[in-house]
Amino acid sequence: MTPSEQSQATRKVCQLAPIVPVIVVKDVAHAAPLAKALVAGGLPALEVTLRTPCALDAIRAMAEVEGGVVGAGTLLTPADVKAAKAAGAKFGVSPGATERLVKACEDEGLPLLPGAATASEVMKLYEIGYDVLKFFPAEASGGAPALRAIGAPIPQVSFCPTGGVSMKNADDYLSLPNVLCAGGSWVAPDAMVQAGDWDGIEALAREAAALPR
């Protein structure tokens, strides 16, 4: 799967809803009900970060939830790519990009949303075929003004900003012409997940799904 084909696939994922939940699952028992709540609230694209021991099992469980499109976040190595694909991930997200990571996604056929924070990083990824990227870390890299500035000379590339995005500033990003969606963790706060407050999470998802773009 070429970088261009990968971006075609990730573009479709990004167009599913204005927000992609960035999820950290600490207990695999929470995976399926959490996914059901988010999908019911209108957020079908789910990024499960590979930051916990049960992350791959969580992806397997969420992949069974009807209507969900589950991806793996925090891909750092070729081994991460292979494991994520085997677990049922439909796409991958990385904080940056390396030649080995890109090659692994090509070999495994896993659509990658690679991270970039500067014009040079964007240009390098665009040069090899990626035109849908993750802008990360969004707020620390200058926020919406920085992404708007990058879009002026490089309008061919679209983004999913992640990192510091919240309900308070999501509109700033979603109003930009080069933004397809944004990634955020506020729709699945740890306290609500640990409490099993699936109705509350569904309500947060509905609020996020209603954001204009």
Side-chain angles (χ1 to χ4, degrees), residues 85-96:
K85 182 67 183 294
K90 299 300 182 185
F91 64 97
V93 184
S94 61

Side-chain angles (χ1 to χ4, degrees), residues 9-66:
T10 56
R11 183 177 294 274
K12 291 179 181 178
V13 172
C14 288
Q15 290 173 333
L16 290 173
I19 300 298
V20 175
V22 179
I23 304 165
V24 178
V25 180
K26 298 179 180 178
D27 184 343
V28 70
H30 294 151
L34 173 58
K36 290 177 181 176
L38 292 167
V39 172
L43 302 181
L46 310 172
E47 177 191 338
V48 180
T49 60
L50 301 186
R51 300 179 192 174
T52 62
C54 69
L56 291 171
D57 288 331
I59 289 173
R60 291 186 184 95
M62 289 185 172
E64 300 296 321
V65 174
E66 185 176 355

Side-chain angles (χ1 to χ4, degrees), residues 135 143-149 151 159 161 170-181 212-213:
F135 181 58
L147 194 49
R148 181 186 296 109
F159 294 89
D171 281 336
D172 296 338
Y173 290 100
L174 294 172
S175 63
L176 299 178
N178 58 340
V179 168
L180 295 172
C181 65
R213 56 173 172 166

Side-chain angles (χ1 to χ4, degrees), residues 76-78 94 96-104 112 114-115 125 128 130:
L76 303 178
T77 68
S94 61
T98 66
E99 290 182 6
R100 293 182 68 224
L101 191 70
V102 168
K103 180 65 164 55
L112 177 66
L125 287 166
I128 64 174
Y130 290 102

Side-chain angles (χ1 to χ4, degrees), residues 94-97 114-118 121-122 125 133-137 141 150 159:
S94 61
T118 67
E121 291 171 353
V122 172
L125 287 166
L133 309 177
K134 170 182 176 176
F135 181 58
F136 178 84
S141 299
I150 288 174
F159 294 89

